[in-house]
Amino acid sequence: MSAPSFEKPATAAAPVLEVEDLRVDLRTPRGTAHVVNGLSYTVGPGETVAVVGESGSGKSVSVLALLGLLPARTATVTGRALLQGEDLLTMAPERLRQVRGPGAGMVFQDPMTSLNPVLTVGRQLTEGLRAHGPVSKAAARARAVELLGEVGLPDPGRAVGRYPHELSGGMRQRVVIAMALANSPALLIADEATTALDVTVQAQILDLVERLQSEHGTGVIWITHDLGVVAGIADRVLVMYGGRCVEDGTVDDVLERPVHPYTRGLLGALPDLAADPDEDLATIAGTPPAPTDLPAGCVFWPRCPVRGDARCETEQPPLAVVGRGGAGLPHRAATWCAEREAS
Amino acid sequence: MTQLPTPGATPAAPPPAEPLPTAAPVRPRWRETLGLLARNPTAAVSAVVLVLIVLVAVFDETLAPDGPNEQDPSLQLQPPSWAHPFGTDEFGRDVFSRVILGAATSLRVGFLSVAFALVVGTLIGLLAGFYGTWVDDVLMRLMDVLFAFPAVLLAIAIVAIRGAGPANAILAIGIVYVPIFARVTRASVLGVREEVYVRASRSVGASDWRLITRHVLPNAAPPIIVQTSVSLAFAVLAEAALSFLGLGPRRPDPSWGLMLADGRGFIEQAWWYAVFPGLAIVVTVLCFNLLGDGLRDVLDPRQRTLMAGSGR
């Protein structure tokens, strides 16, 4: 506890983040919502893991829980989440505060609301620096200018003195990213970081994150529901549904050879530009299950077009290996149908 | 929003050691705030009037033509005249002089009691709103208890324990206003606490203290500022009520509230006796409110830019 720095050098093999059986329950007026139900994954150094799924699938909550950013009054978080070997979930509050920033930084979805309107860009940027040790005003300012340059903001020297409302959405999101990167985190969590931006700005931000990642060896969790972004940025993909991981594997495996009916539905729902424009878009019928009332068997069963096994309705399918991708990484899916196909 | 250097205008500003070619000049914020306030005519006039009132309160003995208790039995309840612009009261004292001499008492009671309530109440509201859970429960139930007492009864109790006099009147009014500030602050903090930027700052390791002082308080401030200006107004009136009950400043010391209370009895024979002290209260209170409105606008950076843009 005495040394606030991370002594362990991240070796190529040691994952930056290891999440094991993460569960999050939220108390709501309508009963306990089981928002995340036994999520396990790892993020290696320099690796990008994309977490995809519909709204309400527990993506955001699962990462907020990692950094202890859920309201303690309503949220119960169990499991393990080792960030460079230290469990975030059992950490003392002061230690957790020290880890936020240099250990893990987070970029939030909406650049319009994630900056404090009454503080200048420079002051918010240096917040993370000042929180982790005394920094002189001049040094903090210089670092802020440097960071803004790094994220590609034009004229960073002037931008530090500006207020958030004086910047465009794309510029603000760069500021938010710079804020998260100020302490060179080992892990960067981007929660729908480009969803609110237009496509060209989105592409610039993705390039930026990739460049920074290759320079600093940062592990990245990229939460999105945009499969185009996933194909562009991710090394591995984790598909979430009903607070569970229903399928994970390399980008090629999951996007090219999806196994779970939900993943297939998700990919099928992508508009195909070559298709007949008069044809209706494919959709997945129904809505995701309410986290207060999850089905007993496979979470996807109520909407599943396949339902190929008697156990689907009653028994929860385990996340089983269904194949191996190029790098020998397992391709896993939680469905009874895959087992039948494979055998 | 100009980038032009202001030659020789900032003696307090640090000397520009090495001119950074790309860096914007660090603008002293208070000067900008004052500049913007000056461009808001209502707020500017209010500020000037308040400064005048304060000056009158400071130099009261020089300005007042008569002493506070100089009586002239031959001039009882005289209407306004050149010799006595605000008329005289039932003892033949000059109301004009007493209004001037009462300013200090009324303003001191108003300022100090509200300052007390502002500091204590805002702190309680911040802690309750930010931390929630049992902190919120304990603090806000305490505030409810305080709030449940009739204000005057509470003031009487405090004065009964500590004795009458201006200092205890200040304390009494201050304590009565603490729950109001605590509630206004808490309500405002509850909204701000959930903002993404608070979470974002937390996610880079900002401490609770930093979150409260840099993010929550500045964004929760506008209702508190408005509450302050309203409370200043009410505190001046509360001083009048306490004086009326003999719990505040005591006769024959002049105070606006006391004069208003005494003049009330003569309103049919001598309107000037109550009207001029009352007018003094109204003008002061109104200026506080208008200045509060102006300040709230100016302190909002979004509005600030709009105003700065339109002003040039």
Side-chain angles (χ1 to χ4, degrees):
Chain A
M1 272 313 132
S2 57
S5 62
F6 295 89
E7 303 99 55
K8 278 187 198 167
T11 60
V16 177
L17 178 74
E18 260 182 293
V19 177
E20 268 174 60
D21 198 30
L22 180 73
R23 286 168 195 277
V24 181
D25 288 347
L26 297 178
R27 266 189 303 151
T28 72
R30 275 160 287 125
T32 304
H34 306 283
V35 183
V36 180
N37 306 291
L39 199 61
S40 303
Y41 60 94
T42 60
V43 182
E47 188 181 35
T48 302
V49 175
V51 179
V52 296
E54 283 167 275
S55 310
S57 58
K59 303 175 302 225
S60 296
V61 170
S62 72
V63 289
L64 289 174
L66 294 182
L67 289 184
L69 295 175
L70 292 172
R73 279 150 287 157
T74 52
T76 316
V77 182
T78 58
R80 291 211 305 165
L82 304 180
L83 181 73
Q84 298 181 314
E86 262 187 289
D87 192 349
L88 292 165
L89 304 183
T90 56
M91 216 172 250
E94 178 55 22
R95 177 67 188 143
L96 186 59
R97 189 189 71 71
Q98 290 169 353
V99 166
R100 290 178 190 143
M106 190 155 175
V107 180
F108 293 84
Q109 171 169 3
D110 185 358
M112 296 300 166
T113 57
S114 43
L115 291 174
N116 183 340
V118 306
L119 293 184
T120 60
V121 163
R123 291 186 73 161
Q124 328 219 14
L125 260 181
T126 52
E127 180 123 74
L129 298 176
R130 289 168 169 239
H132 299 286
V135 185
S136 77
K137 223 172 178 175
R141 192 185 150 83
R143 176 80 177 121
V145 174
E146 189 189 333
L147 279 164
L148 287 179
E150 219 174 301
V151 297
L153 207 69
D155 200 358
R158 282 188 61 184
V160 286
R162 292 186 182 276
Y163 287 93
H165 67 273
E166 298 175 293
L167 304 176
S168 71
M171 287 163 92
R172 285 195 211 189
Q173 195 64 326
R174 284 161 194 263
V175 173
V176 175
I177 291 174
M179 205 173 141
L181 292 174
N183 286 294
S184 312
L187 177 71
L188 179 71
I189 301 170
D191 184 0
E192 306 262 16
T194 57
T195 308
L197 306 177
D198 66 53
V199 196
T200 49
V201 180
Q202 174 173 316
Q204 289 170 4
I205 300 268
L206 292 179
D207 284 348
L208 165 70
V209 171
E210 264 183 345
R211 183 167 58 78
L212 295 171
Q213 191 178 11
S214 60
E215 283 168 15
H216 301 286
T218 315
V220 175
I221 301 177
W222 197 277
I223 296 180
T224 181
H225 52 246
D226 185 338
L227 292 169
V229 171
V230 175
I233 196 172
D235 298 309
R236 286 193 297 122
V237 186
L238 192 151
V239 182
M240 274 187 85
Y241 186 80
R244 295 200 177 95
C245 169
V246 294
E247 180 160 3
D248 73 352
T250 61
V251 176
D252 287 348
D253 279 341
V254 175
L255 298 189
E256 303 294 331
R257 294 174 289 279
V259 172
H260 198 283
Y262 175 66
T263 316
R264 289 181 178 177
L266 213 55
L267 288 164
L270 279 181
D272 184 353
L273 289 178
D276 179 6
D278 294 329
E279 204 177 308
D280 283 342
L281 285 175
T283 54
I284 306 175
T287 53
T292 45
D293 187 23
L294 290 173
C298 176
V299 273
F300 190 55
W301 183 81
R303 299 169 72 186
C304 187
V306 183
R307 295 187 189 176
D309 195 287
R311 290 169 294 180
C312 284
E313 192 183 349
T314 52
E315 214 177 314
Q316 202 178 303
L319 195 62
V321 175
V322 294
R324 288 206 173 264
L329 292 164
H331 178 196
R332 301 183 298 175
T335 169
W336 296 116
C337 309
E339 210 172 63
R340 221 165 45 113
E341 256 171 46
S343 57
Chain B
M1 294 300 137
T2 174
Q3 296 301 316
L4 290 173
T6 46
T10 53
E18 282 114 46
L20 298 166
T22 53
V26 181
R27 292 166 303 217
R29 278 199 61 162
W30 60 270
R31 289 191 68 220
E32 200 183 314
T33 304
L34 281 184
L36 286 172
L37 207 55
R39 261 182 257 149
N40 177 341
T42 330
V45 169
S46 306
V48 168
V49 172
L50 280 176
V51 167
L52 285 179
I53 293 173
V54 170
L55 284 178
V56 165
V58 171
F59 297 108
D60 51 358
E61 291 188 6
T62 326
L63 291 169
D66 293 347
N69 299 313
E70 274 175 42
Q71 303 183 9
D72 187 344
S74 65
L75 291 172
Q76 285 172 11
L77 299 175
Q78 290 298 303
S81 64
W82 283 114
H84 301 288
F86 290 0
T88 61
D89 65 9
E90 78 270 35
F91 300 114
R93 296 176 298 191
D94 180 29
V95 174
F96 182 63
S97 298
R98 286 176 62 79
V99 166
I100 290 174
L101 292 161
T105 313
S106 293
L107 287 184
R108 191 164 51 233
V109 172
F111 276 125
L112 293 182
S113 60
V114 171
F116 176 84
L118 176 71
V119 171
V120 178
T122 304
L123 190 67
I124 290 174
L126 269 176
L127 294 177
F130 186 79
Y131 285 106
T133 63
W134 64 268
V135 180
D136 188 19
D137 288 338
V138 170
L139 289 176
M140 291 324 285
R141 290 307 76 74
L142 267 172
M143 291 298 102
D144 285 349
V145 169
L146 218 49
F147 209 59
F149 275 105
V152 173
L153 194 64
L154 192 63
I156 289 174
I158 292 163
V159 172
I161 295 167
R162 301 185 43 97
N168 291 331
I170 291 167
L171 189 68
I173 297 170
I175 289 176
V176 167
Y177 286 160
V178 163
I180 299 174
F181 277 95
R183 282 187 173 190
V184 168
T185 308
R186 175 178 175 272
S188 185
V189 165
L190 284 182
V192 175
R193 186 182 70 175
E194 305 300 331
E195 291 285 349
V196 183
Y197 52 78
V198 175
R199 198 174 249 181
S201 279
R202 200 191 281 277
S203 81
V204 296
S207 60
D208 286 356
W209 176 247
R210 185 171 279 271
L211 290 175
I212 291 174
T213 53
R214 297 281 294 277
H215 296 278
V216 175
L217 183 57
N219 283 290
I224 305 173
I225 293 172
V226 176
Q227 183 61 48
T228 305
S229 58
V230 172
S231 294
L232 277 169
F234 276 110
V236 172
L237 297 176
E239 181 266 327
L242 282 184
S243 300
F244 182 70
L245 293 169
L247 303 174
R250 295 211 261 182
R251 294 179 188 83
D253 291 348
S255 97
W256 293 346
L258 216 50
M259 293 170 74
L260 189 67
D262 291 343
R264 217 178 49 122
F266 298 93
I267 193 75
E268 285 183 17
Q269 305 106 290
W271 54 268
W272 53 88
Y273 188 179
V275 162
F276 286 110
L279 211 57
I281 295 175
V282 167
V283 170
T284 310
V285 164
L286 194 66
C287 287
F288 276 135
N289 283 348
L290 294 176
L291 183 65
D293 283 355
L295 266 180
R296 188 199 47 203
D297 291 347
V298 165
L299 292 175
D300 181 343
R302 269 156 302 190
Q303 297 244 17
R304 182 187 271 254
T305 312
L306 288 178
M307 289 187 292
S310 64
R312 299 204 174 177

